[in-house]
Amino acid sequence: MSEIRQPKRLVDYQAPAFVIEQTLLRVELDPVATRVYSKLKFRRQTAGSLWLDGQALQLISIRLNDAPLGEDAYQLSDKGLAINEPGDVGILEVVTQLNPEQNTALEGLYLADGVYCTQCEAEGFRRITYYPDRPDVLSVFTTTIVADQAQLPFLLSNGNKIATEQLADGRTAVTWHDPFPKPSYLFALVAGDFDVLADRFVTASGREVVLEFFVEKGKGRRAAFALAALQRAMRWDEQRFGLEYDLDRYMVVAVDFFNMGAMENKGLNIFNSKYVLADEQTATDNDYYHIESIIGHEYFHNWTGNRVTCRDWFQLSLKEGLTVFRDQEFSADMASATLSRIDAVKLIRTAQFAEDASPMAHPIRPEQVLEMNNFYTVTVYDKGAEVIRMLQTLLGRERFTAGHQLYLERHDGQAVTCDDFVQAMQDASGVDLQQFRLWYSQSGTPEVSVTQVYDAAAQQLRLTLTQHTPATADQHSKQPLVIPVKIEILQPQTKLRQQALLVLTAATQEFVIAEIATAPLVVWLEDFSAPVKLHCQYTAEQWLSIAAQASNGFARWDAMQQYWSLMLRQALRSNELPQLSTELLAFYRQLLRQPLQDLALTAELLQLPDFETLAGQYQPIPVDALLDALQHLTLQLATLLQDDFSYCYQQLLFAPYQYQQQQVGQRALRGLCLSYLAHTDAGEELVEQQFQQADNITDQLAALRAGQSAVLAANDSRLSRLAERFADDVQVLDKYFSLVATLPSEQVFTKLEQLTAHPAFSWKNPNRVRALFSAFSLRNPQQFHRADGQGYRLVASVVARLDAVNPQLAARLITPLLSWQRYDQHRQQLLRQLLQQLASGSAMSDDLYEKVSKSLT
Ligand code: B3K
Ligand code: ZN
């Protein structure tokens, strides 16, 4: 890895020399020799040659203004095509040829499972034809797809279908026109045979929109939930943000071969089938939740992303942070607000904090990038959404909504920057956001420490807050940020409570709250009002009081998380196993005997923090001690509260499956109880009973998981029964693969090896690969972090193998290996060696090179 590859830098941005006013494409499909004829109407903006990106393409011909272009008039390289003197306006015609069948990177146009499909974001369009493949070149697209319609009945692209023509050779040519100018990353083309589920939506202003879902043959019924979710999302965006859909047709295609969750192509979303298909036999409550949220997310992009897009890819959070925020608000309204907040915060505290502590640390608006696909990160997306949420908290919902509206009105049809967004917020609200902008440029996890002094005589509460952001791999010096800290002040003696928002802007600040009559207890960082680590010196009893008394469900859950973190820290410090206090047992007993009305929250309160959340609090991470302590606590709770778990479990009756919040809560709490009961004498019987009696996969998986973590005798038999029953159903097989991958024993290695030979497994399918290996590296800490290095070696070998097949996937999978500095000396050495081996191996993709090289410097 001695060569240095040059990243692109935000500071080097230059506007394009040419715009493409119209893009005409004719795509003649063929598995190994697809021909793409493009006709581009260009117009000069500034001086310079006409640059067209192009990668892995075979150039067949070029014509400029109706005449062939001589070889001295252009330069061709493996990155693209430069036309030296194209004039100020003109028509450029380029013919290219590509091989969709061989395209296992799943970027550009590919053929998998008999379906032609595209993925162009971020820079995939350049694998289809030579083009200024950058988000600030917006063009009106007209696309003709030519294919044999007997084999490929559906030929789809963006916008409206304007013509169908039978060709003399028996093929069909279907033409689509998208009236909205768009960057090439939003282009899409699909050709295949599907089941279609269709309905309509009437917008607030009375326009009728046709909604169509295209899914694998035989699975049409499973798209019903997603279709209904789309209708809810469309209504919600009208009501919450005043935004209507703008085309006459909205299509969603579900495919099994897809690198990520979904893609918001204008009028033609392409989805990973995992986030469309659902019925009670094959999708869990959690799957339903994510389907609704991702359907919403892609739909919301129609305004935040498509109508107003990014000037350059450094601005990715402009559309992603904002759209994740919008989908979170949607989920909070559709499902449980408390649970959706808990879900989002868990992700920040695990993956995002870990990213800040890793060699890949970057601000939500990165400053340099080698491979853009590496920056579709939890930082850009989820911390980006937290930044938007802070704006809403600081400005208030009304002014925030006005700012959102101003942003879209002001920039409709443009490609803009994060600064433009903040400016619109500032202009609409009249609030100075100068210092707030630092959230876009500064990376890292701020740490906020709080102390409080209550002066009974003066009835005053003095709160002192200090902030500090530790250096990150990419940035050494840090400045104070604007940090909104929501608090609730409880007065346990009088049951009085009040809320306040403290806005921390300096390194240290004091806030005085008057008229506090009795000794208060402060609930800090309510709703996780800023993406920070909060340090507060409460005792275990104080955390338990908050968990029992805070008015906000999220705050109660958070207090329990802090409680357990404290218990574990104390135990690890004194080298002992943690013990359960009578207060904790009494609180848990109470929750089990009289659950809160919100059963899902009750389950969350009874759940120990996961390994990753805890790991983020240590440097180095005491892997073995943490895992031992967690296991010990689980067993202690199971033993000491067996009767109470059992009582609660028996009260929760099975009802015919519906995805509905009360039932979701019941199943969550039932699963939680079973996860403890599995460790008792009654475990085997209860687990088997739930597995057999359940009419849905949520309860069945809960039983399988409970059995697995308690290492019950009949686990293998249950797993085989599941695998046999769903032998042809990849939606369930993926869950089976993941379950096997999380087996907490050395046997997992043999089983993983066997499963790579399973008829449904393919190295070319990202869903299958992730089901096995991401599940292993992210959710089997015990075996992944084995001190003998077997877990790390397995993941490294998978990464090496995949890099040639699908670099994007390889680069995702390597993430857990990068942060070697976070572990003890021994593990550091194991990891570093593996990374060095990877680096010295054969040519690495840019995707992998960027991550490995950062990790090793
Ligand atoms: N915009 C796409 C993600 C594209 C990822 C490219 N590697 C999905 C989304 O965020 O909605
Ligand atoms: Zn998105």
Side-chain angles (χ1 to χ4, degrees), residues 475-488:
Q475 256 176 14
H476 289 291
S477 69
K478 305 284 182 185
Q479 296 167 49
L481 295 155
V482 181
I483 301 183
V485 179
K486 277 210 248 176
I487 60 170
E488 179 176 44

Side-chain angles (χ1 to χ4, degrees), residues 207-509:
R207 271 189 330 101
E208 185 164 316
V209 182
V210 173
L211 312 177
E212 290 174 313
F213 278 68
F214 300 85
V215 305
E216 192 189 320
K217 282 261 172 209
K219 294 191 176 166
R221 200 184 65 85
R222 289 195 205 175
F225 176 77
L227 174 56
L230 174 61
Q231 289 163 327
R232 289 193 287 275
M234 295 176 91
R235 194 62 76 212
W236 184 88
D237 216 14
E238 293 180 348
Q239 290 169 350
R240 170 75 172 85
F241 286 108
L243 298 172
E244 273 190 30
Y245 187 59
D246 52 13
L247 283 166
D248 299 336
R249 187 191 278 254
Y250 192 95
M251 297 174 282
V252 173
V253 180
V255 295
D256 190 38
F257 280 71
F258 207 61
N259 271 339
M260 63 267 169
M263 178 65 212
E264 69 264 24
N265 315 299
K266 183 82 189 186
L268 177 56
N269 286 183
I270 299 179
F271 267 66
N272 190 324
S273 45
K274 185 176 158 63
Y275 295 116
V276 172
L277 301 177
D279 64 20
E280 71 277 16
Q281 301 299 323
T282 58
T284 60
D285 289 339
N286 199 30
D287 293 331
Y288 276 90
Y289 174 83
H290 284 110
I291 290 171
E292 181 162 64
S293 111
I294 296 177
I295 287 278
H297 181 99
E298 306 312 330
Y299 174 70
F300 302 143
H301 267 316
N302 190 54
W303 278 96
T304 51
N306 301 4
R307 288 287 287 256
V308 180
T309 194
C310 302
R311 184 194 73 172
D312 54 74
W313 288 123
F314 299 101
Q315 318 294 332
L316 180 61
S317 202
L318 173 75
K319 75 176 177 82
E320 294 305 347
L322 178 55
T323 306
V324 171
F325 170 77
R326 278 154 53 67
D327 85 49
Q328 289 177 352
E329 293 284 273
F330 170 60
S331 292
D333 287 349
M334 297 300 118
S336 146
T338 307
L339 266 286
S340 64
R341 193 67 193 128
I342 290 176
D343 227 47
V345 173
K346 279 184 182 166
L347 188 66
I348 297 283
R349 284 190 176 145
T350 53
Q352 204 283 318
F353 286 0
E355 190 157 81
D356 279 340
S358 84
M360 278 294 289
H362 54 276
I364 65 167
R365 183 183 55 213
E367 273 154 23
Q368 46 176 16
V369 165
L370 180 65
E371 171 49 63
M372 189 54 213
N373 286 327
N374 281 339
F375 288 84
Y376 287 74
T377 59
V378 274
T379 299
V380 168
Y381 273 61
D382 300 277
K383 183 178 176 184
E386 294 302 319
V387 170
I388 304 290
R389 184 175 297 279
M390 285 191 285
L391 277 173
Q392 177 168 263
T393 304
L394 289 165
L395 305 182
R397 197 170 144 131
E398 227 166 90
R399 287 191 296 182
F400 173 83
T401 307
H404 190 267
Q405 194 178 348
L406 177 63
Y407 162 69
L408 293 176
E409 278 166 13
R410 193 182 265 180
H411 298 296
D412 190 10
Q414 298 175 2
V416 301
T417 63
C418 297
D419 273 332
D420 293 321
F421 177 81
V422 180
Q423 193 59 45
M425 284 288 157
Q426 174 162 322
D427 293 346
S429 66
V431 176
D432 180 357
L433 294 170
Q434 196 46 39
Q435 190 191 355
F436 186 85
R437 287 172 206 249
L438 268 177
W439 280 106
Y440 285 87
S441 56
Q442 185 162 297
S443 57
T445 309
E447 307 209 4
V448 175
S449 304
V450 298
T451 54
Q452 57 206 67
V453 178
Y454 175 59
D455 180 343
Q459 302 211 331
Q460 265 184 1
L461 175 62
R462 273 174 193 287
L463 306 172
T464 310
L465 284 76
T466 58
Q467 60 165 308
H468 163 72
T469 305
T472 46
D474 64 325
Q475 256 176 14
H476 289 291
S477 69
K478 305 284 182 185
Q479 296 167 49
L481 295 155
V482 181
I483 301 183
V485 179
K486 277 210 248 176
I487 60 170
E488 179 176 44
I489 304 168
L490 304 172
Q491 295 187 52
Q493 290 154 38
T494 56
K495 301 237 177 319
L496 280 173
R497 46 185 74 218
Q498 73 192 72
Q499 250 123 357
L501 177 65
L502 313 178
V503 183
L504 177 61
T505 54
T508 299
Q509 237 167 300

Side-chain angles (χ1 to χ4, degrees), residues 594-707:
Q594 281 170 310
L596 312 173
Q597 203 171 0
D598 186 342
L599 298 179
L601 175 61
T602 310
E604 291 290 341
L605 293 174
L606 291 162
Q607 173 94 57
L608 295 171
D610 56 30
F611 173 79
E612 292 301 330
T613 304
L614 295 165
Q617 302 166 6
Y618 295 86
Q619 178 63 37
I621 301 169
V623 174
D624 307 296
L626 265 182
L627 288 170
D628 287 349
L630 280 172
Q631 176 71 1
H632 173 78
L633 281 176
T634 306
L635 295 179
Q636 287 271 300
L637 285 167
T639 313
L640 296 172
L641 296 175
Q642 177 171 359
D643 291 348
D644 309 281
F645 282 121
S646 179
Y647 173 83
C648 181
Y649 185 75
Q650 306 301 342
Q651 300 295 308
L652 296 160
L653 300 176
F654 288 86
Y657 183 90
Q658 274 186 312
Y659 178 68
Q660 172 256 24
Q661 291 318 303
Q662 180 66 14
Q663 279 203 9
V664 169
Q666 274 175 357
R667 283 187 287 271
L669 187 52
R670 191 155 63 218
L672 179 283
C673 290
L674 192 60
S675 75
Y676 286 104
L677 289 169
H679 293 274
T680 68
D681 296 346
E684 187 66 79
E685 195 188 326
L686 288 172
V687 166
E688 182 62 30
Q689 196 183 336
Q690 174 158 329
F691 179 70
Q692 281 188 27
Q693 285 176 2
D695 71 343
N696 65 82
I697 190 80
T698 306
D699 283 324
Q700 279 179 327
L701 267 189
L704 290 164
R705 282 203 198 103

